[in-house]
Amino acid sequence: MRTRTPPKVQRAPLWQAPLLALAGLVVLVAVAAARAISALRPRQRVPHRMAPIAEPEMVQAYARVAQMPQMRVMSAWVARNALRDKRFKRALDLGCGPGWLALELARMQPGLAVVGLDTSTEILDVARRNLERAGLEAGVSFHQGSAERLPFPDDYFDLVVSTLSLHHWEDPIGAFNQVNRVLQPGGRFVIFDIRRDVPGPAWLVAWLVRTFIAPPLARRLDEPLASARAAYTPDEVRALAERSNLHGWKVTTGPLWLMLESKA
């Protein structure tokens, strides 16, 4: 009768135990840091009275951010959501920045006349250069102005859109009333923005961007955290819309964003 040789027990190298302990400690520290930073999210909105983008450094930084792939994808998504296979004649983009959303609307619906409006003459210069490169001058124009005092007659547009601008408006109810004034009966509006009540990891990413990635001027302005603190929650947007002249609206939400839009 053969005797079985017991299997040899493989012992882990001595260096593995401290390495695993160190890895666990790093994870615990990262989780604690994430919780501490996410706890800084304000329950109450902190208004961000940002002056029109004028300094060359800020204009360049803002233009670079707007060209990032995720921002271009966002513009295309909002444009598709706004158009919804309907035919429009005249559209207004509030807080148009470098003009990417306006250009997307014009590309997706040839023949649509698109007007981009922004408070910054410097960023509008960037938008006009982007327009020239796109070859869409016949359908798109850019003008200076504010959402609270739209320089257009009543019932002038049948589509009004806006991205990442709402949290900068000093008088959102007044801006909503202006949208209602210039929008034709039965027209469509889509106002897209970030939301303040984002999950903790998203707040951590914003803190990392502000601390390690943003250019010096943006860090001095505390961006993008300042915009995140100034953003609204879905309930706050609903309350603002209820106090305005807008009608037939709904608030659609995602994990990081919200959208005030027409029901139709």
Side-chain angles (χ1 to χ4, degrees):
M1 190 173 176
R2 288 183 182 177
T3 57
R4 294 182 180 179
T5 303
K8 293 182 178 181
V9 178
Q10 296 292 331
R11 294 185 178 182
L14 294 177
W15 56 267
Q16 283 191 1
L19 185 61
L20 291 173
L22 179 61
L25 179 61
V26 170
V27 171
L28 290 175
V29 170
V31 170
R35 288 181 175 177
I37 292 171
S38 63
L40 299 176
R41 290 177 297 175
R43 293 184 178 274
Q44 300 297 322
R45 178 176 179 264
V46 180
H48 181 36
R49 303 307 184 202
M50 183 176 176
I53 298 171
E55 296 186 42
E57 180 186 355
M58 196 62 184
V59 172
Q60 293 174 9
Y62 187 72
R64 283 197 301 269
V65 169
Q67 291 185 65
M68 289 180 176
Q70 62 269 32
M71 302 298 285
R72 301 293 295 274
V73 168
M74 178 202 70
S75 294
W77 183 84
V78 172
R80 283 194 297 270
N81 186 280
L83 294 174
R84 285 189 174 178
D85 297 323
K86 296 182 179 179
R87 297 299 302 179
F88 295 95
K89 293 182 179 180
R90 193 179 289 121
L92 171 64
D93 179 10
L94 294 176
C96 64
W100 296 119
L101 176 57
L103 296 179
E104 285 289 349
L105 291 169
R107 287 192 190 99
M108 291 182 181
Q109 194 169 112
L112 174 65
V114 185
V115 177
L117 192 77
D118 203 281
T119 57
S120 169
T121 56
E122 289 77 10
I123 206 68
L124 287 173
D125 289 339
V126 177
R128 293 186 182 102
R129 290 195 292 271
N130 292 335
L131 172 61
E132 185 177 358
R133 283 192 289 267
L136 295 169
E137 294 94 334
V140 182
S141 61
F142 295 105
H143 305 273
Q144 185 182 23
S146 69
E148 294 90 345
R149 293 176 294 278
L150 296 180
F152 306 106
D154 297 356
D155 304 333
Y156 191 67
F157 299 96
D158 52 359
L159 175 63
V160 176
V161 297
S162 178
T163 54
L164 305 180
S165 184
L166 169 61
H167 64 275
H168 290 303
W169 295 348
E170 294 185 8
D171 179 13
I173 295 176
F176 293 167
N177 290 341
Q178 285 289 294
V179 169
N180 182 73
R181 180 183 67 79
V182 302
L183 194 63
Q184 297 173 5
R188 178 162 171 72
F189 59 88
V190 173
I191 300 173
F192 176 95
D193 203 4
I194 56 175
R195 55 188 290 181
R196 189 175 71 253
D197 54 339
V198 296
W203 194 265
L204 174 60
V205 170
W207 180 85
L208 291 172
V209 170
R210 190 282 312 270
T211 306
F212 300 108
I213 300 175
L217 180 58
R219 288 199 293 272
R220 290 199 297 272
L221 296 173
D222 201 25
E223 289 290 2
L225 286 178
S227 288
R229 295 188 194 99
Y232 296 91
T233 67
D235 286 342
E236 289 169 345
V237 170
R238 292 186 186 97
L240 293 171
E242 287 173 353
R243 294 166 56 193
S244 75
N245 295 334
L246 284 175
H247 55 274
W249 54 266
K250 64 180 179 179
V251 176
T252 308
T253 63
L256 306 178
W257 55 269
L258 56 81
M259 187 161 59
L260 177 66
E261 61 176 324
S262 308
K263 288 183 178 179

